[in-house]
């Protein structure tokens, strides 16, 4: 399968714990995006990378969120001190230029 | 605040009919327009994109763009029950910004 992959697919954690998600983009895609989506809403932009450079981060994103793409290939998204409001689907997308292709997402539940 | 607006629905269409989904956007400088399909509990799947005014056809799908009126639409011909999903409209602002602005989606129900 040469599509975008994400791991884990589901994560249940207790409030205050840290979580980390991984995204493996389509290999020749140099752009990688992270989104968050809640029920009944469109994807909410979090951040994006061109190769290893993080070019933009949403102003809505608190300091508890951080993302890396150390070698311009896979990326990780970490949420520190999780809150119940962080419960959502976290989506990763990769892009060769204009169109974005999504992975299956990681569903986070914070108890 | 740049916005993309969609009617949340649900839009109910009989099987075999044409489903028409609409999207308006606020930024007149927007350049690229995308339609994604999202089944419940799944991630968005790209089905169409359009960059120029007019129509673009791909199988049963036609995207229509009118930049003067700032709307983009998606037509689905010969609707099938498997087309039942939420359809998300996304707009890219300009050549220097690769972010997409997303609508909240329209839920489409195809009734057999």
């Amino acid at each position: 399968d040469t599509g975008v992959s994400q791991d884990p697919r589901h994560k249940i954690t207790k409030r205050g714990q840290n979580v980390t998600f991984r995204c493996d983009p389509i290999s020749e895609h140099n752009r990688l995006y992270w989104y968050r989506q809640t029920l009944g809403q469109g994807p909410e932009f979090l951040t994006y990378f061109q190769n290893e450079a993080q070019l933009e981060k949403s102003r809505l994103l608190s300091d508890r969120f951080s993302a890396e793409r150390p070698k311009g290939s896979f990326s990780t998204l970490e949420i520190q001190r999780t809150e119940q409001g962080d419960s959502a689907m976290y989506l990763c997308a990769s892009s060769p230029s204009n169109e974005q292709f999504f992975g299956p997402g990681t569903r986070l539940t914070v108890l | 605040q740049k916005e993309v607006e969609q009617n949340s629905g649900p839009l109910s269409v009989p099987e075999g009919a044409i489903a028409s989904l609409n999207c308006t956007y606020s930024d007149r400088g927007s350049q690229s327009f995308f339609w994604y399909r999202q089944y419940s509990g799944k991630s968005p799947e790209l089905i169409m994109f359009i960059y120029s005014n007019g129509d673009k056809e791909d199988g049963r799908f036609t995207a229509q763009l009118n930049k003067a009126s700032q709307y983009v639409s998606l037509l689905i011909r010969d609707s099938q029950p498997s087309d039942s999903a939420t359809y998300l409209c996304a707009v890219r602002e300009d050549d220097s910004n690769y972010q997409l602005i997303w609508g909240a989606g329209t839920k489409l129900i195809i009734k057999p």
Side-chain angles (χ1 to χ4, degrees), chain A residues 9 31 33 35 37 40-45 48 50 56 89 91 97-105 107, chain B residues 32-34 36 38 40-46 49 51 88 92 96-105:
Chain A
R9 296 289 302 276
R31 292 195 183 92
Y33 300 79
Y35 294 92
Q37 188 178 26
Q41 300 298 316
E44 176 191 9
F45 170 78
Y48 97 93
Q50 182 160 321
E56 191 150 357
M89 175 78 88
L91 296 164
S97 58
N98 214 7
E99 304 86 49
Q100 295 183 21
F101 300 90
F102 284 85
R107 181 165 295 283
Chain B
S32 308
F33 307 85
F34 304 86
Y36 284 79
Q38 187 171 28
S40 180
K42 303 296 185 182
S43 61
E45 173 192 8
L46 179 65
F49 57 88
Y51 305 146
L88 296 163
R92 180 183 158 198
S96 65
N97 186 339
Y98 288 92
Q99 276 194 53
L100 296 181
I101 310 298
W102 293 81

Side-chain angles (χ1 to χ4, degrees), chain A residues 5 13 37 57 79 108:
Chain A
S5 62
T13 191
Q37 188 178 26
K57 185 175 176 180
I79 309 174
L108 174 66

Side-chain angles (χ1 to χ4, degrees), chain A residues 32-103:
Chain A
L32 185 149
Y33 300 79
W34 283 100
Y35 294 92
R36 176 171 63 188
Q37 188 178 26
T38 54
L39 196 63
Q41 300 298 316
E44 176 191 9
F45 170 78
L46 297 179
T47 189
Y48 97 93
F49 294 84
Q50 182 160 321
N51 300 312
E52 66 276 9
Q54 186 174 18
L55 295 188
E56 191 150 357
K57 185 175 176 180
S58 169
R59 288 187 293 273
L60 301 175
L61 213 59
S62 77
D63 291 341
R64 297 185 297 108
F65 288 72
S66 62
E68 293 183 338
R69 194 184 183 195
K71 297 182 180 179
S73 56
F74 73 92
S75 176
T76 57
L77 176 69
E78 181 182 19
I79 309 174
Q80 296 181 327
R81 305 180 303 281
T82 52
E83 302 172 355
Q84 287 185 324
D86 296 332
S87 295
M89 175 78 88
Y90 288 83
L91 296 164
C92 174
S94 72
S95 173
S97 58
N98 214 7
E99 304 86 49
Q100 295 183 21
F101 300 90
F102 284 85

Side-chain angles (χ1 to χ4, degrees), chain B residues 65-101:
Chain B
L65 175 61
N66 184 324
K67 289 187 177 181
S69 299
Q70 294 176 237
Y71 82 78
V72 56
S73 61
L74 179 70
L75 303 178
I76 307 174
R77 289 182 298 281
D78 187 24
S79 298
Q80 302 297 310
S82 59
D83 295 326
S84 297
T86 296
Y87 289 80
L88 296 163
C89 173
V91 175
R92 180 183 158 198
E93 297 174 273
D94 57 48
D95 288 345
S96 65
N97 186 339
Y98 288 92
Q99 276 194 53
L100 296 181
I101 310 298

Side-chain angles (χ1 to χ4, degrees), chain B residues 6-85:
Chain B
Q6 296 181 258
N7 188 318
S8 62
L11 174 65
S12 184
V13 173
E15 183 176 359
I18 296 175
S20 177
L21 302 160
N22 298 313
C23 170
T24 59
Y25 58 94
S26 62
D27 183 10
R28 187 171 289 278
S30 297
Q31 296 291 320
S32 308
F33 307 85
F34 304 86
W35 283 100
Y36 284 79
R37 177 177 62 200
Q38 187 171 28
Y39 294 113
S40 180
K42 303 296 185 182
S43 61
E45 173 192 8
L46 179 65
I47 52 173
M48 289 285 291
F49 57 88
I50 186 167
Y51 305 146
S52 304
N53 270 331
D55 294 0
K56 179 181 178 182
E57 187 174 319
D58 183 0
R60 295 187 296 113
F61 298 97
T62 298
Q64 299 176 318
L65 175 61
N66 184 324
K67 289 187 177 181
S69 299
Q70 294 176 237
Y71 82 78
V72 56
S73 61
L74 179 70
L75 303 178
I76 307 174
R77 289 182 298 281
D78 187 24
S79 298
Q80 302 297 310
S82 59
D83 295 326
S84 297

